[in-house]
Amino acid sequence: MIAFLKFLVLLCFINHANAKNNWLGEWIATDNWQSEFLIKINEDGSATSNYGSGESGEWKSLDGNLKIFWNSGKTDYFFNGVMGYQRIRKNKNQSYTSGLRKLSD
């Protein structure tokens, strides 16, 4: 029984680590006008984007998904939905959903 519990804990840890690593790399995102830009998710917990004059921030894994907290106060939420990889962008006044495409690992 103890061996089985250890196996389950190890399996959960591996699944969590793999879910986190799936988001690492460069992503092509679109804004609400369908203009493409790059978001890079780094292993050290940082994120950068070339959107506008550039953004930087930090990310964390949430239930296998990813949330980016930009220094500008905006947030992005990445998830794998029924329509593939998607992104929800939120700021004070609005939010929108757009697609994502992984560029590299």
Side-chain angles (χ1 to χ4, degrees):
M1 181 68 169
I2 292 176
F4 179 71
L5 290 175
K6 287 181 181 180
F7 173 75
L8 284 178
V9 169
L10 180 62
L11 186 62
C12 289
F13 176 76
I14 290 170
N15 282 340
H16 176 72
N18 284 340
K20 183 172 155 180
N21 290 337
N22 287 337
W23 296 111
L24 297 177
E26 296 179 319
W27 294 83
I28 298 293
T30 55
D31 64 12
N32 50 341
W33 296 282
Q34 301 305 309
S35 299
E36 291 186 344
F37 61 96
L38 182 74
I39 297 176
K40 186 172 182 187
I41 307 300
N42 301 305
E43 192 170 2
D44 67 358
S46 67
T48 57
S49 171
N50 66 351
Y51 187 70
S53 51
E55 291 183 296
S56 61
E58 297 180 355
W59 63 267
K60 69 178 183 175
S61 181
L62 297 170
D63 299 323
N65 301 308
L66 184 96
K67 188 165 187 177
I68 304 171
F69 302 90
W70 297 110
N71 293 338
S72 65
K74 299 173 184 171
T75 60
D76 280 333
Y77 184 75
F78 289 14
F79 65 99
N80 192 1
V82 295
M83 297 176 66
Y85 291 112
Q86 297 176 44
R87 168 181 157 266
I88 299 173
R89 171 71 156 199
K90 289 188 178 183
N91 64 32
K92 278 182 164 180
N93 302 320
Q94 69 176 11
S95 67
Y96 66 88
T97 303
S98 68
L100 281 172
R101 186 180 74 223
K102 189 154 190 185
L103 188 60
S104 67
D105 288 323

